[in-house]
Amino acid sequence: MTHLSFILQAQAGAPAGSGASMWIMLALIFLVMWLFMIRPQRKQQKELEKFRNGLKKGDKVVTAGGIYGTVAEVKDNFLFILVDKDVKIKVAKASVQADYSEGTAPAAVPAASSDKKADEPKAE
């Protein structure tokens, strides 16, 4: 028996509705993926785009690179962020990832005292 005749016999014994059930299963898999993955991601992208378009002077933001700052000026595709006293940086609007307020900002690192350096061991 050749390989071709074996394949033809296997196909002849298959139930008549197997092709249709395969397409139904593929459609159900796509539907589940759309409901649980694609749709929520699109919703999140729309909310982020709405947030970026609504930025205004004084908003506190975090960039994709992890830079925290306050919006100083907004242009079409970029904005200036005040990161320290008199230090502004120009960033793309698309790099702004989130808004932060004082309540959600990470805790400040305690400053080292002025007479001792942070790396010096403490005298016992």
Side-chain angles (χ1 to χ4, degrees), residues 61-78:
V61 295
V62 180
T63 67
I67 298 172
Y68 286 75
T70 305
V71 176
E73 186 177 345
V74 180
K75 297 291 184 181
D76 289 335
N77 294 323
F78 62 91

Side-chain angles (χ1 to χ4, degrees), residues 7-9 16 33 42 57 59 77 101-102 104 108 115:
I7 293 172
L8 291 174
Q9 286 177 356
M33 286 181 61
R42 283 187 181 171
K57 186 177 179 179
D59 288 345
N77 294 323
S101 61
E102 294 304 320
T104 60
D115 56 345

Side-chain angles (χ1 to χ4, degrees), residues 96-115:
V96 176
Q97 294 295 313
D99 176 6
Y100 83 93
S101 61
E102 294 304 320
T104 60
V109 177
S113 80
S114 60
D115 56 345

